[in-house]
Amino acid sequence: MSYLSLDQLLLRIRSGKGLAIVIEGIKNGDDEWVYSQWFGNLAHLVTFYPQDGYSRVYDAVENLRNKSPHKLIAGIIDRDFATEIEVKAQFEADYAQHVYRTKRYTLENYLLEPEGWLEIASLFWRHKHPVGFRTLEECSQTIELVFKSFLPAAAYNWLVWDLGQKYGPKYYLNYKDTPNLDPEKLYFDLRIYCQREGLPSPDEYELRLNLLRRKKELWHQKVSGKMVFNYLIENIPVPRSRPDKHLFINYYVSRTEAPKELNRLVNFLITKYLKEASLAKSAI
């Protein structure tokens, strides 16, 4: 997918109305489509513009706000491993940045509700759903089992992220994205790596894995929905040839409403920025 340059974005924003929200749109353009579909009823107030990854979102928002007279520009990026304190801070009155994180790890984490997967199964199979997708309860159990299979990888990725944050980019390791990995082997690999690089022993790996196993409420914060979503679309039975990921996303989004969390975030931004613009105009 090609992305608009900053100059092209600026022209679009100047010719449009309402608030411009720059979002992540890595590789495929799904993010823009999802936001535009879920918030189509707010098209007179907000337009979504994709850029290639979160760092490009930051750059675009900063540059566009510097060049735009009305500054009706904000950004939304994935939560990734941001803490609850960081997520809550962006809603405080003294928050000085203009890029906001979602409450879930990735956009795909919002595509993992059992209601949406029951709808997908209905579109493929009509009335004879496959095992694991026959009822809302079965869909919920299926999704939960897939999440559980990725917990060893998620705990590894979480610790790898913190190592990079604490000791610098040099110590970033590649994330794991495979289900049912052996926790003991992951810990052993981390321990050998830390010994070789002179880092403290990664004993927290087991603590984090156990925390994820005990606290289901952390899954959408610490487990990448991309892994879970991709696994589901690769393994849900389909009656004919398997369509690509985009069609699954289209099915899901067209049959569901915007999640409450995203709704609150988008409406918060609309209220904040359009109200500020309205007050600025009234003061002139």
Side-chain angles (χ1 to χ4, degrees), residues 86-92 95 99-102 265 268:
E86 290 173 309
V87 172
K88 288 181 177 179
Q90 62 193 10
F91 297 103
E92 299 297 331
Y95 182 69
V99 176
Y100 296 76
R101 291 186 179 271
T102 60
L265 176 58
F268 170 82

Side-chain angles (χ1 to χ4, degrees), residues 202-214:
D203 292 335
E204 281 191 25
Y205 173 74
E206 187 174 353
L207 295 174
R208 295 184 188 207
L209 179 56
N210 288 334
L211 187 64
L212 291 176
R213 285 171 170 167
R214 292 198 317 270

